[in-house]
Amino acid sequence: MKSDLHDIDVIFQHATDRAVCVRADEDGEDQWIPLSLCEVEGNRVRGGVVTLTAPQRILEERGLV
């Protein structure tokens, strides 16, 4: 079975207990993604680069790929 999960580098903005806010690039729009649909690895510092792992469909819907 093929996984549709993809890792992308994004710019971290903010996180809550239920979601993470990221941007595809510095001038991009904030995109909120529920933590139930993704994983975030890296140093969660505003403006820092983190690795977001999520299904291709979610990444496309949010305009991150």
Side-chain angles (χ1 to χ4, degrees):
M1 186 164 118
K2 185 178 176 184
S3 171
D4 72 335
L5 294 177
H6 295 276
D7 295 335
I8 62 168
D9 289 338
V10 293
I11 300 171
F12 179 84
Q13 295 298 307
H14 186 71
T16 66
D17 291 340
R18 295 186 177 189
V20 64
C21 181
V22 297
R23 292 181 180 179
D25 54 54
E26 212 171 290
D27 297 327
E29 292 185 30
D30 288 348
Q31 299 296 325
W32 284 93
I33 302 176
L35 289 172
S36 62
L37 299 177
C38 70
E39 290 183 9
V40 180
E41 292 184 20
N43 192 2
R44 295 182 181 193
V45 175
R46 185 177 179 89
V49 176
V50 296
T51 300
L52 178 76
T53 304
Q56 180 74 24
R57 175 185 59 86
I58 299 300
L59 299 174
E60 288 174 356
E61 285 176 2
R62 301 302 198 281
L64 296 170
V65 292

